[in-house]
Amino acid sequence: MSTTMNSRRGPIDRIYGLLRSIPVGVLWLIVIVWSVPSVSLFLNSWRSRDAQRNSGWWTIKPGDLTIDNYDYIFNASAAGTIGNSLINSMAIAIPATIIPIAIATFAAYGFAWIDFKGRKTLFIATVSLLAIPLQVALIPLLQTYVNGAHLTLPFIDKTVTIIPNLGLVNTSTAIWLTHTGFALPFAIFLLHNYISSLPKDVFEAARIDGADHFTIFWRLVLPLSVPVLAAFAIFQFLWTWNDFLIANTMAGTNPDARPTTIFVATLAGDFGTNEHLLPAAAFVQAFVPLVVFFAMQRYFVRGLLAGSVKG
C-alpha cells in the first residue's frame, strides 16, 4: 500500500522539487508579470474615460481616482445592473459544477470498481463523447429546449415524444443543463483515472469487514478523492463562469437569465461609447473566480495529476 501511495505522489514531489530549485527572485518575477494584467484592470476601473484614453494606467495619480464607473454598473447601467448578472452567473455556475461532480463520482466508482457486463464498452463510449464539438450540438439542444424531442416511427406513421417541451428556452436552467451535459464525459474520465488508482487492498479490507459498495464509496472513496474533486470543481466553475457562447445561445434576449459575461459584452453600448466601464465590470466579473481558485489552490496540482501514475 505504501508503495502504491508513493508512486502516486512521485510526480507531485518532482514538481515541488523543481519549483524549489528555481531561485526565489525568478519566481517573484513570474508572479509580477502574471499579475500585471489584473493590476492594470483594477487600476483602470477607478479612472474616468478621459484618463483611460489619454494616458496609461501606470501614470495614475490619487486625484484621478473615481467611483463613477462602479456606481454606474451597480446602479445605473442601461443594460441592467451587474448585481443581477452576478446572481444569474451563480445560478448557472453552482449547479453546473455540483451536479456533474455528483453524477460523475458515482459513475467513475462504478466503472472503476464494480464489475458488470459491458463496463469497458460503456466507459469507452462515454469518454468518446469528448470528441463531440460543443458548437455542433448547440442548435440541436436549443431546438430540444424549444420544441422537445420527437421521433417519427416508420411504416406506422406515429410520432413518439422522447423529451417533452419543458419551456426551458431563454432560462438559466437551459444554460447549466448544457454545461452539465458537456462536463460529464471529462468529469467521469478524470475521476475514473483517480479512483481506479486508489489502493485495492483498502477496498478488499472494507469488503471483508462487511462494507457494501455505498459504504465504501461514502467512507473511503469520497474522502480520498477530495483533491481531484476540488481540481475539477475549479476547472468547471471557471469554464462555466467565463462562458459566453452557451449563455448567449441559450439565454437569448431574456435579461433575467443573462450572466456577467453577456452583461460585460453589452455594456460598452453602440459604437463603444461606454468602453471606460469595461474595466470595472470585468474586474467584478473576474473577482469571484479568483476567490474560488485561491480558496482551492492547494488541491490544484494534486488533482491535476490525479491518476497520472498508477501503482
Side-chain angles (χ1 to χ4, degrees):
M1 176 178 173
S2 60
T3 303
T4 303
M5 296 300 290
N6 289 335
S7 65
R8 196 164 66 246
R9 291 174 180 169
I12 301 175
D13 293 336
R14 285 194 290 271
I15 290 178
Y16 286 150
L18 178 63
L19 292 177
R20 284 194 294 266
S21 66
I22 301 176
V24 177
V26 175
L27 292 177
W28 275 112
L29 178 62
I30 295 174
V31 171
I32 292 174
V33 172
W34 193 267
S35 303
V36 166
S38 298
V39 173
S40 63
L41 187 70
F42 176 73
L43 294 178
N44 262 333
S45 68
W46 299 94
R47 305 174 74 210
S48 64
R49 176 168 55 187
D50 293 338
Q52 292 182 25
R53 289 181 174 181
N54 297 329
S55 61
W57 60 269
W58 53 89
T59 62
I60 189 171
K61 300 177 182 178
D64 297 335
L65 300 179
T66 177
I67 63 171
D68 291 345
N69 297 339
Y70 285 98
D71 179 66
Y72 186 86
I73 65 174
F74 276 104
N75 301 311
S77 171
T81 63
I82 197 170
N84 293 334
S85 67
L86 287 172
I87 295 175
N88 294 336
S89 291
M90 286 290 185
I92 294 168
I94 292 176
T97 302
I98 295 176
I99 294 176
I101 289 177
I103 297 175
T105 308
F106 280 105
Y109 174 78
F111 284 130
W113 295 104
I114 299 178
D115 189 13
F116 59 90
K117 187 176 181 180
R119 179 179 65 172
K120 292 184 179 179
T121 302
L122 184 58
F123 178 71
I124 293 173
T126 301
V127 174
S128 65
L129 294 175
L130 289 169
I132 299 178
L134 170 67
Q135 295 81 359
V136 172
L138 279 182
I139 300 304
L141 279 174
L142 183 60
Q143 291 175 340
T144 302
Y145 294 149
V146 174
N147 300 317
H150 310 279
L151 178 64
T152 302
L153 300 178
F155 307 114
I156 62 175
D157 194 22
K158 184 177 181 181
T159 301
V160 177
T161 299
I162 302 175
I163 301 176
N165 180 11
L166 301 177
L168 297 178
V169 65
N170 291 344
T171 64
S172 59
T173 303
I175 303 174
W176 65 255
L177 274 177
T178 305
H179 280 294
T180 298
F182 279 96
L184 279 174
F186 175 70
I188 293 173
F189 174 73
L190 180 67
L191 296 175
H192 172 269
N193 286 350
Y194 184 88
I195 293 175
S196 63
S197 68
L198 295 176
K200 185 178 180 180
D201 297 342
V202 176
F203 296 92
E204 293 178 348
R207 292 193 186 98
I208 293 174
D209 292 338
D212 57 11
H213 281 297
F214 182 79
T215 302
I216 294 174
F217 175 82
W218 187 257
R219 297 292 182 86
L220 295 177
V221 173
L222 282 184
L224 292 173
S225 303
V226 169
V228 70
L229 294 176
F232 175 76
I234 292 174
F235 282 122
Q236 178 67 4
F237 186 89
L238 294 182
W239 175 49
T240 307
W241 185 272
N242 294 320
D243 167 74
F244 176 83
L245 177 62
I246 295 178
N248 193 44
T249 303
M250 300 301 172
T253 58
N254 183 10
D256 296 329
R258 290 181 174 179
T260 52
T261 50
I262 298 180
F263 175 84
V264 173
T266 58
L267 188 62
D270 296 334
F271 308 108
T273 54
N274 293 326
E275 82 282 356
H276 63 288
L277 301 173
L278 296 180
F283 185 80
V284 173
Q285 195 271 340
F287 181 76
V288 175
L290 287 174
V291 171
V292 172
F293 177 80
F294 284 112
M296 307 176 72
Q297 63 168 331
R298 58 178 178 153
Y299 300 112
F300 186 71
V301 175
R302 284 185 288 170
L304 189 64
L305 296 175
S308 58
V309 177
K310 296 180 67 174

